[in-house]
Amino acid sequence: MIRTLTLWLIWFGFIVYVLFFAPPLPADAFQPLQSLLAGQIPLINPVLLSMFSLVGIWLLIYSSLIFPDGRMQSLPAWLFMLGSVATGVIALIPYLALRQPNQEFSGGQDLGLAIFDSRATGVILTISAIALVLFAVLWGDWAGFVQAFLTNRFVHGMSIAFVLFCVLFPYPTLLQDDMARRGLTPNSQLFWLIAWVPLFGPLAYLCLRPSLLAFRFRNS
């Protein structure tokens, strides 16, 4: 009950803050996104480009846990994740709040579920994340990013959403349930290692976790 209430408070607080307390939305607020869609990548601050791309990686990280979890939920997981593509945490948090703890998995895997369950997916996402972080650190205009954060609602909200992705990953029971489905001990040292290393902890987990079907066959 406390977990669910906390998630709804975070969801409501984020929406209220972005709408009423974040910096205003300037006329060119979406210029970086427009430049990206137009293929004008050199015109975009590498920090903004990397953060925007890392938000996408976070959505794929969550998808790798939510789609197997959704098999055992009455909620349409795909609908929440589809909404997250457009709204980020605004559509993701309701799924985390409404889902029920469940450490079981039944049925087979379709192609999509097999991709999200694959360690290769974790490896690809990890390599991509490392490249994006290095791109931002080595070539990014950090002063420009700070200025955009203080004056641009889109950049401000995206930055806060990125932090929420990091904070929420170990907080709900989603990660613990996924570990239990694979024969790992929730709340073990591995769990806390994943919990306290933003972005790369979850990525390491995707690279190392046993597959769902392998654990089921081993215990059948």
Side-chain angles (χ1 to χ4, degrees), residues 97-178:
L98 294 171
R99 67 174 294 274
Q100 297 298 315
N102 190 301
Q103 299 182 351
E104 302 296 327
F105 181 82
S106 62
Q109 287 185 337
D110 55 26
L111 178 59
L113 197 56
I115 291 174
F116 283 118
D117 191 48
S118 171
R119 289 181 177 179
T121 298
V123 172
I124 293 171
L125 292 178
T126 301
I127 294 173
S128 301
I130 292 173
L132 289 168
V133 170
L134 289 176
F135 181 56
V137 170
L138 297 177
W139 290 283
D141 177 8
W142 287 92
F145 168 73
V146 172
Q147 180 65 21
F149 177 80
L150 296 175
T151 58
N152 187 319
R153 179 175 295 178
F154 175 71
V155 175
H156 194 87
M158 180 176 65
S159 303
I160 296 175
F162 181 86
V163 174
L164 286 177
F165 279 122
C166 298
V167 172
L168 293 176
F169 187 79
Y171 174 70
T173 58
L174 182 67
L175 175 59
Q176 295 96 315
D177 287 353
D178 191 78

Side-chain angles (χ1 to χ4, degrees), residues 17-30:
Y17 176 78
V18 170
L19 290 179
F20 299 105
F21 298 101
L25 196 64
D28 61 345
F30 298 102

Side-chain angles (χ1 to χ4, degrees), residues 84-108:
S84 296
V85 174
T87 66
V89 293
I90 294 178
L92 175 67
I93 292 176
Y95 179 84
L96 300 178
L98 294 171
R99 67 174 294 274
Q100 297 298 315
N102 190 301
Q103 299 182 351
E104 302 296 327
F105 181 82
S106 62

